[in-house]
Amino acid sequence: MNSSISNSRPFSHLTRAENLDRLGTESFDLLVIGGGITGAAIARDAALRGIPTALVEKTDWAAGTSSRSARLIHGGLRYLEYYQFGLVFEALSERAVLRRIASRLVRPLPFMYPLYRGQEPGFIKLTAGMWLYDFLAQFRNVSRHRMMLARETARREPIVAREGLRGAARYYDAVVDDARLTLATTQSAHLAGAVVANHARVVGLLSHGGQVIGAVVRDEITGREIEIHARVIVNACGPWVDALRSMDVGAKHASPLLRPTKGVHLFVRRERLTSQHAIAFDSPRDDRHLYVIPWGDFAIIGTTDTDYAQSPDTPNVTPEDVDYLLEAAQHAFPSAHLTEADVISAYAGLRALIGSDAASTYSISREHHIEQSESGLFTIAGGKLTTHRLMAKEMVDTVAKKLGGAGKCVTGKRHIETAERVAGIPMPARSASVAHLVEAYGADAVRPLAYAEERPELGQPIAPGLPYIRAEAHYAVEHEMALSLADVLIRRTHVIYETFDAGLPQARDVAALIAEKLGWDAAEQERQVVEYERQVSLTRSFRKS
Ligand SMILES: Cc1cc2nc3c(=O)[nH]c(=O)nc-3n(C[C@H](O)[C@H](O)[C@H](O)COP(=O)(O)OP(=O)(O)OC[C@H]3O[C@@H](n4cnc5c(N)ncnc54)[C@H](O)[C@@H]3O)c2cc1C
């Protein structure tokens, strides 16, 4: 087992600078545009097959939808209602694969599905559905489902509404830190040989004889433009795929591929919504299934599903989104008396769903789609976090054919080289911070701890009450390619979501820490704080006052 990613191949701001130079001088078989989970997984798969691969991301790894999901690695129980057994089987098989290859990040979580009188599905149908869910998982889950009656349900989860309660199904799915899974997948792609750069935006495509042959990338830090040449180009831009397609000579008149929908999640303190399980519940307004998901000291409530036609850069959270979720949570957990004052933060993500005339956004297929334009540009869109590895395999199989052959896909067998093991590493007495460091970095937790040992002020929390320590700002720059204040406070740590003030009072302190590594002057530090404030406003835009 690789105990340290950074030992074997650095993944820092300096690595990125070297990579940008390489992007302009080497030529690649494959250029992947978009550093969400889809692009990262394609780059990893291709690099592991020996394909010379480049990956560029306009903002930061996982800055799009891949850091704004419900964080579930799941079969999708609700798809059984639509008889989409193939989709559920595929997702359950992937859940098993991801638990194997990313075992520190993808963790099993017990779920509860309470049932009420007069509700669909009824007790018998739900029991049958649960057996089917276990069967489609080939009975290889943490344990089989269990049905329980009302009294046991209420005893195990006192927060669920009692009126009309008939019982519940208890079963397992899994959760993951989506931003960290994407980062780990990108690091793994890099270890396998892919040349990767974040804050590198594609601003144009290069073509010759009607065929796309490369892209112009702008380094968002310096403004320098670089031409990248590649034999095959894949557009994995999630909600931005249509914007990228509009740069393609071969798809100039093509109609948009996507019908994006917005999904909002709320963060509340766990003590306001205590539960041992993730709990499924229905919205009384439209019967959509929602979840409350325990996440450390927090509970995440989600999600909405509404058409979205504005810029993918700034999906915001409206008071209506929050009202919808709070109304449903209040209905399902009446004793919690949740109000808007309990909502610490909220985030909105965009589903890159394939265009459809369906009246309800909820019923649009979540399956993915691959197309090739007349000029040869591949676009991949749709799908799920859970099935990203399979999507990547299918995409790289197609690329390999176009390239005239390549090795076999090995991603199902190769562990994502997150620093796994902590056994044998001397750790100070356990505290919330140490527990968090081990969970986030595995064996690499010793690095931020070593920084803190050298300079004890780096061992102080970034923000009061949160487990993140100031040393993580240095670690993020030196080992995780963080280049902005937002990279550190949103995706390397999740400070933005976990305090009411989003860590704004500490933003200047964190900017100064990053400045030590990146050489920012005072003006740049101030610019970073202003940009972070802008991002924060999107996660608090629901506040009426
Ligand atoms: C609300 C919500 C909840 C969800 N919950 C779950 C769940 O619980 N489980 C699950 O399995 N799935 C879930 N999903 C689906 C899952 O999150 C997505 O399928 C997945 O994250 C999509 O990843 P992606 O890489 O395709 O897109 P993205 O993550 O959006 O990545 C696209 C990237 O392309 C970059 N980009 C765009 N334009 C350019 C350019 N010009 N140059 C360079 N880069 C560019 C963007 O910055 C972005 O980072 C959820 C989705 C939503 C919206």
Side-chain angles (χ1 to χ4, degrees), residues 354-532:
I354 303 306
S356 146
D357 297 332
S360 149
T361 51
Y362 196 47
S363 61
I364 304 174
S365 167
R366 267 56 179 165
E367 283 180 75
H368 68 275
H369 172 86
I370 294 177
E371 67 155 40
Q372 186 182 186
S373 76
E374 278 174 24
S375 64
L377 175 73
F378 284 105
T379 294
I380 179 165
K384 294 184 68 70
L385 189 69
T386 307
T387 49
H388 71 271
R389 196 196 61 85
L390 278 184
M391 288 166 64
K393 176 181 179 306
E394 189 182 328
M395 186 69 253
V396 181
D397 284 346
T398 310
V399 168
K401 245 187 231 153
K402 187 158 177 184
L403 291 172
K408 278 215 164 79
C409 174
V410 295
T411 54
K413 294 193 194 111
R414 288 284 185 92
H415 207 279
I416 293 181
E417 295 85 347
T418 50
E420 276 316 302
R421 299 265 159 90
V422 287
I425 294 171
M427 290 283 177
R430 282 187 86 77
S431 67
S433 287
V434 173
H436 146 70
L437 292 172
V438 171
E439 200 176 300
Y441 310 111
D444 245 16
V446 291
R447 290 177 183 277
L449 284 169
Y451 295 155
E453 211 171 278
E454 222 170 273
R455 282 175 52 189
E457 76 277 13
L458 294 180
Q460 295 300 314
I462 286 184
L466 295 186
Y468 309 109
I469 59 171
R470 295 172 76 236
E472 287 177 79
H474 283 183
Y475 179 84
V477 174
E478 295 199 322
H479 299 284
E480 298 187 327
M481 215 180 264
L483 282 149
S484 75
L485 182 60
D487 293 355
V488 172
L489 292 180
I490 303 178
R491 289 167 293 272
R492 304 303 182 281
T493 69
H494 303 312
V495 171
I496 191 169
Y497 302 124
E498 299 179 358
T499 66
F500 277 98
D501 60 22
L504 283 171
Q506 292 80 32
R508 283 192 175 75
D509 173 48
V510 180
L513 289 170
I514 301 172
E516 287 180 27
K517 298 290 164 190
L518 293 181
W520 293 340
D521 60 16
E524 180 59 20
Q525 289 177 46
E526 204 48 39
R527 203 190 66 73
Q528 292 285 332
V529 172
V530 170
E531 171 56 20
Y532 180 61

